[in-house]
Amino acid sequence: MKETKSKGRPAKDENDTQSNYCTIKDPAIEPFYIVKDASNFTVMEKKIAEKGFRGAEASGKERENVIGYYTSFKNALGRIAKEKFYQNQGEYETIQGYISTWNNVKEGIESMLNKVEI
């Protein structure tokens, strides 16, 4: 019988005691979190389904979306900062207001990074 290969990342082996998977969650970065494995940091986002299949009513089921894969913790946190900034759907009266909002988000992430040596 022909062996079929599945696409995507390999599943986490629950019986592997040498695995160095860990999940990093913090209220400051919610609804995002980081999953670290042997080779990278994966930024994930938790969402509640707003639409059902083919426009049907949503079930309110919790979903997880992969935002990206990063080789360093700093880059993963940088992506979370950008995502949190993009969630702000406000209208800005000036360029300075826009830049000020971005700096607030960026400084929050940088302050976390400054507390930990990477």
Side-chain angles (χ1 to χ4, degrees):
M1 186 175 205
K2 187 176 180 181
E3 182 181 327
T4 60
K5 292 186 179 183
S6 62
K7 294 182 180 180
R9 298 180 68 177
K12 179 179 170 183
D13 185 5
E14 299 296 332
N15 299 324
D16 184 9
T17 58
Q18 299 298 318
S19 174
N20 57 350
Y21 283 87
C22 74
T23 302
I24 304 162
K25 295 182 178 184
D26 189 286
I29 62 172
E30 284 184 355
F32 303 98
Y33 64 96
I34 299 170
V35 177
K36 184 202 175 297
D37 62 24
S39 59
N40 61 29
F41 296 87
T42 306
V43 175
M44 305 287 289
E45 178 182 20
K46 260 189 197 174
K47 281 187 169 184
I48 304 294
E50 295 174 4
K51 291 183 186 175
F53 183 70
R54 292 189 176 181
E57 189 175 325
S59 63
K61 195 175 190 180
E62 195 171 86
R63 299 181 325 160
E64 295 178 333
N65 293 341
V66 174
I67 303 300
Y69 304 99
Y70 302 91
T71 56
S72 74
F73 187 62
K74 182 176 181 178
N75 290 346
L77 282 177
R79 179 56 188 225
I80 290 172
K82 287 180 184 177
E83 289 293 327
K84 288 186 77 63
F85 178 68
Y86 296 148
Q87 286 180 345
N88 181 7
Q89 307 235 342
E91 188 171 307
Y92 301 95
E93 300 294 325
T94 63
I95 293 173
Q96 190 58 43
Y98 177 83
I99 292 171
S100 175
T101 303
W102 166 246
N103 284 336
N104 288 340
V105 171
K106 193 171 114 184
E107 286 171 7
I109 298 295
E110 286 176 351
S111 70
M112 283 193 288
L113 280 173
N114 289 337
K115 292 178 185 176
V116 179
E117 288 185 34
I118 299 175

